Amino acid sequence: MAQQGPTLPYDTAWALITLTSAPDETDLVRAWANLNPERAPGVHYDQWCELSHTEQHHRRQWLHRHGHSPIQLLRLDTELIKSAGIRVIDWGSPHAGD
């Protein structure tokens, strides 16, 4: 959560970690999502150009070290995230709009 930034609420982080570490608990995550419905579930991307220079610098450093955003490093199938009813805002591409 700390690495992803403010676009990742605590309960969404819980759902993602649960799907990653305990795939047999997918029904629990779906039940939670049904009680807390999200508009447009799935993985969506923020706009790099709208970020502060400080945040852009932070993300470039992270991507240089790790190659992927913290969400992408979980290696969760985007269709699973969508079918579980979770809305995730991941990092947009630093090259979008270039």
Side-chain angles (χ1 to χ4, degrees), residues 29-37:
V29 173
R30 283 190 179 114
W32 168 81
N34 285 333
L35 293 173
N36 302 282

Side-chain angles (χ1 to χ4, degrees), residues 8 12-21 71 74 76 81 86 88:
L8 185 63
T12 303
W14 166 82
L16 292 171
I17 294 302
T18 300
L19 290 174
T20 301
S21 61
I71 296 293
L74 293 174
L76 280 171
I81 292 171
I86 303 167
V88 176

Side-chain angles (χ1 to χ4, degrees), residues 58-96:
H58 164 78
R59 290 185 184 190
R60 282 188 197 281
Q61 286 182 315
W62 174 275
L63 292 169
H64 180 72
R65 275 182 271 150
H66 302 283
H68 300 283
S69 74
I71 296 293
Q72 293 163 356
L73 289 175
L74 293 174
R75 305 229 188 279
L76 280 171
D77 179 41
T78 56
E79 285 303 312
L80 174 61
I81 292 171
K82 185 176 181 178
S83 72
I86 303 167
R87 178 180 173 85
V88 176
I89 306 298
D90 197 2
W91 295 357
S93 169
H95 305 293

